[in-house]
């Protein structure tokens, strides 16, 4: 009887976690600037495609669509002009397109994270997807936080709108 009760508690907790994760993903987009020639980009695409994140990601291939590279540079120019903490230059480069470069957006309105590099950690991406918008947008080099952009709601909206202004066909 004790075993049954314990099993029910564990199953209930797992179900709540799955439900919470589903809720987090329902309003989250992982927008990745990438290159078709980049092996890390292919691996990240495969990771998203073969996980719960399927249907929540957009890959914008800069070597295929000119709009992708232009959109990336618009985003980085805006981001580099914002107040920040840490080593923003490690993550946001206005002179070249380091790929993969993923921007995590909630509700089409808030940027909750920027990630440079290949990260194949379900927990890492869920942590970002389930985070609430704050006055700081964390910048990651892989899974290591390198700094943050200091923003308000208007800047959140402007950055998210800029990124989502081009969705690949």
């Amino acid at each position: 009887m004790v075993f049954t009760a314990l099993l029910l508690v564990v199953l209930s907790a797992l179900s709540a976690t799955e439900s919470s994760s589903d809720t987090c993903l329902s309003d989250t987009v992982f927008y990745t600037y990438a290159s078709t020639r980049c092996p890390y980009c292919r691996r990240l695409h495969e990771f998203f495609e073969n996980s719960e994140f399927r249907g929540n990601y957009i890959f914008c291939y800069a070597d295929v669509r000119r709009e992708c590279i232009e959109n990336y540079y618009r985003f980085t120019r805006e981001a580099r002009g914002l107040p920040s903490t840490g080593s923003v230059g490690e993550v946001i480069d206005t002179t070249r397109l380091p790929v993969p470069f993923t921007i995590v957006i909630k509700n089409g309105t808030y940027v909750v994270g920027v990630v440079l590099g290949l990260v194949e950690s379900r927990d890492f991406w869920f942590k970002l997807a389930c985070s609430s918008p704050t006055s700081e947008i964390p910048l990651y080099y892989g899974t290591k936080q390198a700094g943050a952009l200091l923003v308000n709601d208007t800047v959140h909206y402007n950055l998210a709108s800029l990124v989502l202004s081009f969705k690949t066909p």
Side-chain angles (χ1 to χ4, degrees):
M1 186 132 125
V2 171
F3 175 75
T4 304
L6 181 60
L7 181 62
L8 287 174
V9 168
V10 169
L11 289 175
S12 175
L14 287 174
S15 176
T17 300
E18 276 184 27
S19 175
S20 170
S21 298
D22 290 344
T23 301
C24 293
L25 290 179
S26 69
D27 63 355
T28 303
V29 172
F30 302 93
Y31 194 104
T32 302
Y33 294 100
S35 167
T36 58
R37 296 181 300 259
C38 166
Y40 302 110
C41 300
R42 287 192 295 274
R43 282 180 50 192
L44 184 60
H45 185 273
E46 189 175 300
F47 170 79
F48 283 144
E49 181 65 22
N50 296 315
S51 69
E52 306 91 329
F53 306 107
R54 184 179 190 177
N56 291 79
Y57 69 89
I58 297 170
F59 267 63
C60 199
Y61 290 100
D63 58 332
V64 174
R65 305 284 308 200
R66 182 174 180 202
E67 296 92 336
C68 295
I69 193 91
E70 291 170 353
N71 205 25
Y72 166 80
Y73 284 125
R74 278 195 298 273
F75 175 83
T76 58
R77 279 192 302 275
E78 290 291 323
R80 287 298 291 261
L82 295 172
S84 61
T85 64
S87 302
V88 173
E90 283 186 45
V91 178
I92 297 179
D93 190 335
T94 57
T95 61
R96 63 185 179 86
L97 172 57
V99 290
F101 185 89
T102 305
I103 301 167
V104 184
I105 300 172
K106 297 216 33 113
N107 297 320
T109 307
Y110 296 98
V111 177
V112 293
V114 176
V115 182
L116 173 60
L118 170 65
V119 175
E120 296 174 300
S121 166
R122 177 186 179 278
D123 292 342
F124 175 82
W125 293 112
F126 267 116
K127 178 183 163 198
L128 283 176
C130 295
S131 64
S132 297
T134 69
S135 61
E136 293 188 2
I137 298 172
L139 306 172
Y140 295 92
Y141 190 83
T143 57
K144 179 182 175 267
Q145 187 168 348
L149 299 174
L150 306 177
V151 298
N152 59 30
D153 286 348
T154 302
V155 173
H156 266 295
Y157 177 78
N158 290 342
L159 290 175
S161 297
L162 189 153
V163 172
L164 295 174
S165 67
F166 179 73
K167 294 185 183 175
T168 57

